[in-house]
Amino acid sequence: MAAPARRPHCTRLVLLCALLGMLWEARARQIHYSVPEETEKGYTVGNISKDLGLEPRELAERGVRIISKGKTQFFSLSPRSGCLVTAGRIDREELCAQSAPCLLSFKVLVEDRVKLYGVEVEVIDINDNAPKFEAENLVVKISEIAAPGARYPLPEAVDPDVGINSLQSYQLSPNRHFSLHLQTGDDGTINPELVLERTLDREEEPSHHLVLTASDGGDPRRSSTALIQVIVLDTNDNAPVFDQPVYRVKVLENVAPGTLLLTVRASDPDEGANGKVTYKFRKINEKQSLLFHLHENTGEITVAKTLDYEECSLYEMEIQAEDGGGLKGRTKVVVTVEDVNDNRPEVTITSLFSPVREDAPPGTVIVLFNAHDQDSGKNGQVVCSIQENPSFKLENSVDDYYRLLTAQILDREKASEYNITVTATDRGTPSMSTEVHITLYVADINDNPPAFSQTSYSVYLPENNPRGTSIFSVSAHDPDENENAKVTYSLVENTIQGAPLSSYISINSDTGVLYALQSFDYEQFQNLQMQVKASDSGHPPLSSNVSLSVFLLDQNDNAPKILYPSLPTDGSTGVELAPRSAEAGYLVTKVVAVDEDSGQNAWLSYRLLKASEPGLFTVGLRSGEVRTARALLERDALKQSLVVAVQDHGQPPLSATVTLTVAVADSIPDILADLGSISTPADPDSDITLYLVVAVAVVSCVFLLFVLVLLALRLRRWHASSLLQDAIGGSTGVPTSHIVGVHGVQTFLQTYSQEFSLTPDSGKSHLIFPQPNYADTLISQESCGKSEPLCSSVESKFPIDDTPLVPQAPPNTDWRFSQAQRPGTSGSQNGDETGTWPNNQFDTEMLQAMILASASEAADGSSTLGGGAGTMGLSARYGPQFTLQHVPDYRQNVYIPGSNATLTNAAGKRDGKAPAGGNGNKKKSGKKEKK
């Protein structure tokens, strides 16, 4: 039975120890200091750093600061000494009035620990106030019939100090009629009373003067005096008496000024003036006297100004009633102010940790704030909340302190700042609330690499680009900010054909623009593959790559290369054989060419540029096959020279030429035999050609002289007419047709031209002038500029004895005419626009005659169409671009003197066939060709 009885006792002992431990811990966190009032600023209250277990320098490092609810800050922290010091003068009477002890409470926050410590500072009173009477002069009226022992209340002195420093005693100056009696109330106040010791006699002494001294117990002692004049009155033996010794009333703090609180009443049984009672405040402080109003005659107490429960909830005052005889009565009035919910909650942000890193873990403290309400009871109870936000949560920390925490990891790229609204609501009816808006910024971390807009890029670049050409521009975006979003570009190291990529391509690290460091050749490589790297400037830096393909576009930068026939290395000319028995379409050889370009730039076409025997051979446009256009005849020359042009289809087109020598024979021995049997015949036309050239030169000079003389005469006549006009003051009335000027001469020149015809078989040459057109004649400045004795208005360059009359100069492009400018029939031919064409009918017919003459020169092995002596400089005259296929057939216009026949096509002569077209009577000239 003893063990069960002992067990409850042990349980109670353990609970008592736990309770004592909790009280000790709470007491340990509460720090107490004391400080005398009226100390100067900076007075050391206590070593708070030591009490907190910190070094003085750690106060600032750990964010230790004072948090107080009031508007006035009485204390501060000294970072140098680590002590709690006064922030200014502290007046205990102003703070606590008569309350003892006077305690000032506040909190000390250690911010890095997020801990609060309560601090209480007791303000110790000093004797800095002397007792003071409300009125220094007091008149006391006493009836002469007053019996000895009657007591009369005297004014009390007020000392705001407390304890020993407060009012302790009163002393009355010596007087045989009066003495002083001190009465101590329930609250410890001392009330002086004047006691009548002897009967007064107004006729003997109508008034008495007394001095009342009030003293405190401080060191040094302080005191004050009041002068009392006692006036002896006639008989008035009843003093006013109040209905209640204490009047109590409750009032709401929001009552309007002028509201009646209560009415005090005092009765006096005396009559007349001795029974008339008046009321006034006897004991009231200065603040209370402004809040309440007492009607002097009726005793009604009303509210003079708005009451505030938060400033004072209880008012005590004494009211005195005095009759006309000077007798007084007093009562006490207690006014209790009841609280109403008239104050909104106040939110004070103690700590704000902004910006917060976006990688802060959940539960990170962002804001520490205090929410309080000056009201009391439920009106002062505050509840805080935030709008629904999954990223944050609110917790109640200590008392009325709250913490705002992160509920999840933040992402600055989704939300760089948050506007959080904290709502503080009291529990009053109706409730009142306050909203505080907190802006929280999220600090960026480098958690996003740069991102390109595409997964890969393709660039098309024409080859032969200039060095430094801008190829392409890449761009990457980094959703981070500041340095974390600053993107730099670079190329991933790679090699192309054994060389580093940086020798081909460079990139601007800031803009991402790629530049070509070389001029690329499509024939060397067709594309470049590379990786572009975009890196940000964060720590650590993040990067991403994108593939870039540069495709080269082919340009027509390579001329065709002829592979066959290839040029011999010994300097000789290759010879192709064509049997004399070859029919039309016989494949003589094939020109093989290639172009290093691709596509249309490598599409080749072949054409016959020049031939010693026009119309004898053809070249396949696409195949390059050289075939006979007709059957070979006995009169065809043994050696045929062909110039084949190979041209691509690029823009602009490029071309190459090759010269083919075709030997017309069945075998090599036949070629040697034919060459030995050929004899050089005398040229019967050499003298005729010389005479013809001389005649043309003479006629041209005569014509030019005639034109000059005619021009001189016209100029002279015009000059004379001008002088005549000046003499008579004008040329009015002279017909315009009588004045012939330069324009008339030009018209004459344009209506005159000359034309001649010749054949190698003619015995002599004839000059004819059939309706000339001088506008179609081009004067060769090149030939007239030489020192020859003969110079005419036409390009007369006839060969004499198979040698050119004058040295041939390179082709002059200045005298080329466009297709529309070419006169006569030659201008209507579809020739090459850029080629060198005959300029008029005379040149064309002369050229045709020379072509016929070259047929007879093919027998001797010394003449070639490429510009030898027998070709009369055709190559130099018309250039490599001139093709005989474009030459119009003007041989039908060649007139042979003494005959009504015209020249026909050379092939027609050899075949004994008539030409396809002609004019006049047509005769075969086969016999003349054989001769």
Side-chain angles (χ1 to χ4, degrees):
M1 295 298 291
R6 193 177 304 158
R7 187 173 301 166
H9 178 71
C10 294
T11 303
R12 287 195 298 270
L13 183 60
V14 171
L15 293 176
L16 180 61
C17 292
L19 180 61
L20 291 176
M22 293 176 63
L23 293 176
W24 176 259
E25 182 180 358
R27 183 67 177 175
R29 295 184 64 179
Q30 189 77 14
I31 303 173
H32 297 272
Y33 298 106
S34 62
V35 59
E37 66 170 332
E38 302 295 336
T39 55
E40 61 182 358
K41 181 179 180 181
Y43 179 84
T44 301
V45 179
N47 192 346
I48 194 168
S49 62
K50 181 179 179 181
D51 296 334
L52 294 177
L54 302 175
E55 294 295 328
R57 68 174 185 277
E58 293 181 322
L59 294 180
E61 295 175 357
R62 295 181 175 269
V64 179
R65 50 197 176 95
I66 296 174
I67 301 174
S68 60
K69 295 182 181 179
K71 298 180 180 179
T72 305
Q73 190 77 17
F74 296 100
F75 303 97
S76 63
L77 297 176
S78 175
R80 178 176 300 177
S81 62
C83 296
L84 181 69
V85 298
T86 57
R89 187 182 69 86
I90 299 177
D91 188 356
R92 192 205 64 82
E93 290 75 26
E94 182 180 356
L95 295 177
C96 303
Q98 297 296 320
S99 299
C102 182
L103 299 176
L104 296 179
S105 300
F106 54 91
K107 304 287 185 180
V108 173
L109 170 65
V110 180
E111 192 162 313
D112 63 338
R113 300 178 185 172
V114 196
K115 288 186 177 180
L116 294 171
Y117 295 88
V119 178
E120 285 187 354
V121 179
E122 180 181 2
V123 181
I124 300 175
D125 183 50
I126 63 173
N127 192 21
D128 57 339
N129 293 283
K132 185 178 181 182
F133 290 94
E134 185 177 355
E136 295 181 357
N137 297 306
L138 179 65
V139 176
V140 178
K141 297 178 181 180
I142 301 176
S143 175
E144 62 179 352
I145 61 172
R151 298 182 179 185
Y152 301 93
L154 294 178
E156 297 175 2
V158 177
D159 192 337
D161 294 330
V162 295
I164 194 65
N165 296 325
S166 63
L167 180 64
Q168 298 294 323
S169 63
Y170 291 91
Q171 290 182 356
L172 186 66
S173 59
N175 190 287
R176 60 187 181 91
H177 291 281
F178 301 96
S179 65
L180 182 66
H181 180 266
L182 300 178
Q183 185 177 359
T184 303
D186 297 336
D187 55 354
T189 59
I190 301 175
N191 299 318
E193 293 180 343
L194 185 64
V195 181
L196 181 63
E197 296 291 338
R198 297 176 65 181
T199 304
L200 299 177
D201 186 358
R202 188 191 66 82
E203 289 73 22
E204 181 180 355
E205 190 174 2
S207 64
H208 300 269
H209 295 277
L210 304 175
V211 177
L212 180 62
T213 303
S215 303
D216 58 23
D219 185 16
R221 183 184 298 270
R222 294 177 180 270
S223 63
S224 62
T225 60
L227 299 178
I228 302 175
Q229 182 182 5
V230 179
I231 299 176
V232 181
L233 301 177
D234 287 336
T235 303
N236 183 20
D237 54 354
N238 292 294
V241 178
F242 285 95
D243 298 339
Q244 301 177 16
V246 178
Y247 288 87
R248 299 180 183 275
V249 64
K250 294 182 179 180
V251 61
L252 296 178
E253 63 174 328
N254 60 349
V255 295
T259 302
L260 176 63
L261 295 181
L262 77 161
T263 301
V264 295
R265 286 185 175 88
S267 59
D268 192 333
D270 294 329
E271 295 181 354
N274 295 330
K276 186 178 180 181
V277 180
T278 58
Y279 303 93
K280 66 178 180 179
F281 288 114
R282 178 178 178 271
K283 185 177 181 180
I284 189 171
N285 57 35
E286 184 178 354
K287 292 183 179 179
Q288 293 178 352
S289 63
L290 299 177
L291 296 176
F292 303 99
H293 177 264
L294 175 62
H295 196 277
E296 183 180 13
N297 297 322
T298 62
E300 295 178 347
I301 301 176
T302 58
V303 178
K305 294 181 66 176
T306 303
L307 303 179
D308 191 354
Y309 173 85
E310 286 71 36
E311 289 186 3
C312 183
S313 61
L314 183 67
Y315 296 94
E316 293 183 359
M317 62 198 81
E318 288 186 1
I319 297 177
Q320 174 180 285
E322 184 177 2
D323 57 16
L327 297 180
K328 300 176 183 178
R330 61 184 178 183
T331 188
K332 188 175 183 179
V333 177
V334 178
V335 179
T336 302
V337 181
E338 294 184 346
D339 182 44
V340 296
N341 193 20
D342 60 342
N343 291 282
R344 295 182 180 274
E346 297 180 2
V347 177
T348 304
I349 297 178
T350 304
S351 299
L352 174 60
F353 304 96
S354 177
V356 60
R357 288 172 58 91
E358 61 177 323
D359 60 345
T364 301
V365 179
I366 298 174
V367 181
L368 178 66
F369 63 91
N370 170 262
H372 62 278
D373 195 320
Q374 295 181 3
D375 297 324
S376 62
K378 288 187 176 182
N379 297 332
Q381 296 178 5
V382 181
V383 177
C384 295
S385 63
I386 60 174
Q387 73 273 25
E388 185 176 353
N389 192 327
S391 300
F392 305 97
K393 62 181 179 180
L394 191 65
E395 291 182 355
N396 189 357
S397 177
V398 179
D399 295 337
D400 50 2
Y401 282 86
Y402 290 83
R403 297 189 305 174
L404 182 63
L405 313 173
T406 58
Q408 61 184 14
I409 296 178
L410 307 178
D411 189 353
R412 191 205 64 82
E413 286 68 38
K414 293 182 179 179
S416 60
E417 66 178 61
Y418 292 90
N419 293 318
I420 305 171
T421 301
V422 177
T423 303
T425 307
D426 58 26
R427 298 183 182 271
T429 304
S431 62
M432 303 186 74
S433 62
T434 300
E435 290 186 352
V436 176
H437 301 280
I438 301 173
T439 301
L440 176 65
Y441 296 96
V442 182
D444 182 51
I445 63 171
N446 193 24
D447 58 344
N448 291 282
F452 290 93
S453 58
Q454 299 180 19
T455 57
S456 62
Y457 295 91
S458 297
V459 183
Y460 295 91
L461 175 67
E463 65 170 333
N464 301 324
N465 56 285
R467 296 180 60 184
T469 301
S470 174
I471 299 177
F472 192 64
S473 177
V474 295
S475 177
H477 173 69
D478 195 322
D480 295 325
E481 66 177 358
N482 299 331
E483 290 297 323
N484 296 332
K486 184 178 180 181
V487 181
T488 57
Y489 303 90
S490 61
L491 293 175
V492 178
E493 290 297 332
N494 195 5
T495 57
I496 298 177
Q497 295 184 356
L501 177 63
S502 58
S503 63
Y504 295 95
I505 301 292
S506 69
I507 188 170
N508 189 310
S509 60
D510 296 327
T511 62
V513 178
L514 288 94
Y515 298 93
L517 300 180
Q518 295 184 10
S519 179
F520 297 120
D521 188 359
Y522 177 84
E523 288 70 36
Q524 184 179 0
F525 43 80
Q526 285 74 40
N527 62 78
L528 297 173
Q529 301 293 334
M530 65 195 73
Q531 293 282 331
V532 179
K533 180 179 180 181
S535 304
D536 57 27
S537 301
H539 296 285
L542 300 179
S543 62
S544 60
N545 296 347
V546 69
S547 61
L548 175 65
S549 301
V550 179
F551 297 96
L552 298 180
L553 300 178
D554 184 43
Q555 301 291 311
N556 193 24
D557 58 342
N558 291 283
K561 293 183 179 180
I562 298 176
L563 302 180
Y564 183 84
S566 59
L567 295 177
T569 57
D570 56 357
S572 61
T573 303
V575 178
E576 302 290 340
L577 293 178
R580 287 193 176 273
S581 60
E583 296 297 330
Y586 175 80
L587 177 61
V588 177
T589 185
K590 182 176 181 179
V591 177
V592 180
V594 294
D595 196 320
E596 293 181 356
D597 296 323
S598 63
Q600 186 176 352
N601 297 329
W603 188 18
L604 303 179
S605 61
Y606 302 83
R607 62 189 178 95
L608 186 60
L609 187 62
K610 289 191 290 186
S612 58
E613 185 68 30
L616 181 56
F617 298 97
T618 60
V619 178
L621 181 63
R622 303 299 178 208
S623 64
E625 296 177 347
V626 180
R627 296 179 181 271
T628 57
R630 58 175 176 81
L632 297 178
L633 303 177
E634 291 294 334
R635 66 175 179 271
D636 291 333
L638 172 64
K639 179 182 178 183
Q640 300 289 337
S641 181
L642 307 178
V643 178
V644 179
V646 183
Q647 180 175 310
D648 57 25
H649 285 71
Q651 293 296 331
L654 301 177
S655 62
T657 60
V658 63
T659 302
L660 300 177
T661 302
V662 179
V664 181
D666 293 331
S667 62
I668 297 299
D670 294 342
I671 296 175
L672 299 177
D674 291 342
L675 291 177
S677 62
I678 294 175
S679 60
T680 303
D683 187 4
D685 297 329
S686 60
D687 294 337
I688 298 175
T689 302
L690 178 60
Y691 297 150
L692 181 59
V693 172
V694 173
V696 171
V698 171
V699 172
S700 299
C701 292
V702 172
F703 172 74
L704 182 59
L705 181 60
F706 171 74
V707 172
L708 293 176
V709 171
L710 181 61
L711 181 61
L713 292 176
R714 292 297 181 182
L715 289 175
R716 181 178 180 185
R717 180 178 297 178
W718 173 78
H719 181 66
S721 63
S722 299
L723 294 177
L724 182 60
Q725 289 177 359
D726 293 339
I728 64 176
S731 59
T732 306
V734 179
T736 307
S737 60
H738 293 177
I739 302 175
V740 180
V742 177
H743 294 287
V745 176
Q746 185 177 2
T747 303
F748 174 78
L749 293 177
Q750 291 177 351
T751 57
Y752 186 84
S753 66
Q754 56 183 332
E755 182 178 318
F756 67 90
S757 301
L758 61 94
T759 62
D761 297 335
S762 303
K764 53 184 177 179
S765 300
H766 294 262
L767 295 176
I768 59 176
F769 299 90
Q771 298 180 355
N773 186 358
Y774 190 78
D776 295 339
T777 304
L778 178 65
I779 301 176
S780 177
Q781 300 296 335
E782 180 181 339
S783 60
C784 293
K786 303 293 188 293
S787 59
E788 296 87 14
L790 298 179
C791 184
S792 64
S793 62
V794 295
E795 294 182 349
S796 301
K797 299 179 181 178
F798 292 179
I800 300 176
D801 295 334
D802 296 336
T803 58
L805 182 62
V806 294
Q808 298 295 325
N812 186 3
T813 59
D814 297 337
W815 61 281
R816 299 177 183 176
F817 286 79
S818 64
Q819 185 70 23
Q821 293 173 329
R822 293 170 189 156
T825 308
S826 62
S828 63
Q829 300 297 322
N830 295 326
D832 188 0
E833 182 77 12
T834 61
T836 306
W837 286 82
N839 294 294
N840 50 42
Q841 184 176 358
F842 175 75
D843 282 352
T844 303
E845 293 174 355
M846 181 183 69
L847 176 62
Q848 196 70 20
M850 288 186 289
I851 293 172
L852 295 177
S854 65
S856 62
E857 298 172 358
D860 65 4
S862 62
S863 63
T864 60
L865 192 60
T871 60
M872 300 167 289
L874 289 178
S875 177
R877 173 63 177 83
Y878 294 105
Q881 295 177 333
F882 176 71
T883 59
L884 299 180
Q885 299 172 1
H886 297 155
V887 178
D889 192 0
Y890 287 101
R891 282 169 293 184
Q892 65 270 20
N893 296 330
V894 179
Y895 172 70
I896 301 176
S899 173
N900 55 1
T902 60
L903 293 179
T904 60
N905 185 279
K909 292 178 183 179
R910 285 188 286 268
D911 298 339
K913 299 178 182 180
N919 55 354
N921 297 327
K922 303 175 183 176
K923 294 184 180 180
K924 297 180 180 179
S925 58
K927 294 181 180 180
K928 293 185 179 181
E929 291 293 335
K930 291 179 181 180
K931 292 181 181 181

